[in-house]
Amino acid sequence: MNSNFTLAIHSLTLLALQPDHMSSSDYIAESAGVHPVRIRKVLSILKKHGYITSKEGTGGGFIFTLNPEDVTLWDLYKVTSEGTLQPKCPQSNERCLVGANLQQVLFKIFLGAEEHLGEYLRNYTIKEIVNFVNREDRCM
């Protein structure tokens, strides 16, 4: 999993809290505590997949185009991080029993882990994240 995932959640949660207001990438970046260029990369991914739209110029910015209840964390994981749980194996000795097979074995294990992660992340939507950040008791 990479930081694009958490930045996508942060961005959409912030936008969902302001449904009738366009937010600049600088504003979102300040909220997330990252450089605006970093947040623009994530916003580009979200725009490409139809989660947000943008308007340039004065009064422009980004706005959430979907219903927050319809966007799961799994949806966001798939567009920002899918496959990042896969192990990175160095070039192994193919004449060695372990070297010849470990990458394939680990790939199957981590693919299963990602499937389980997906089952879990499907249970949470941006609307639930919005509700959570609005609560005074923030323990889940």
Side-chain angles (χ1 to χ4, degrees):
M1 183 173 317
N2 61 41
S3 62
N4 287 350
F5 175 61
T6 56
L7 290 173
I9 294 168
H10 188 114
S11 299
L12 291 182
T13 301
L14 185 64
L15 294 174
L17 285 165
Q18 305 173 64
D20 299 321
H21 176 76
M22 297 204 94
S23 297
S24 71
S25 57
D26 288 339
Y27 174 75
I28 299 168
E30 183 179 331
S31 173
V34 297
H35 194 279
V37 172
R38 181 81 182 88
I39 208 71
R40 285 183 198 112
K41 177 182 176 185
V42 173
L43 294 171
S44 174
I45 293 168
L46 295 173
K47 184 176 177 181
K48 176 182 173 185
H49 288 90
Y51 293 101
I52 60 173
T53 58
S54 64
K55 177 184 168 193
E56 293 185 23
T58 304
F62 297 88
I63 196 162
F64 200 170
T65 58
L66 301 177
N67 185 335
E69 295 172 357
D70 296 333
V71 179
T72 68
L73 297 190
W74 180 240
D75 296 330
L76 298 176
Y77 177 85
K78 289 188 301 184
V79 300
T80 61
S81 301
E82 189 168 36
T84 58
L85 289 183
Q86 297 306 313
K88 312 295 188 261
C89 295
Q91 291 294 330
S92 300
N93 181 349
E94 292 295 320
R95 295 176 299 204
C96 172
L97 179 63
V98 175
N101 295 291
L102 188 60
Q103 183 170 356
Q104 182 180 1
V105 169
L106 290 178
F107 180 82
K108 288 179 184 178
I109 292 169
F110 281 78
L111 184 61
E114 195 168 59
E115 289 172 6
H116 286 289
L117 176 62
E119 291 171 18
Y120 185 76
L121 292 177
R122 281 183 191 92
N123 294 314
Y124 296 94
T125 66
I126 291 297
K127 176 65 175 168
E128 290 170 307
I129 301 298
V130 167
N131 292 343
F132 180 69
V133 298
N134 276 329
R135 287 177 41 187
E136 293 197 24
D137 168 12
R138 288 182 174 76
C139 296
M140 287 185 99

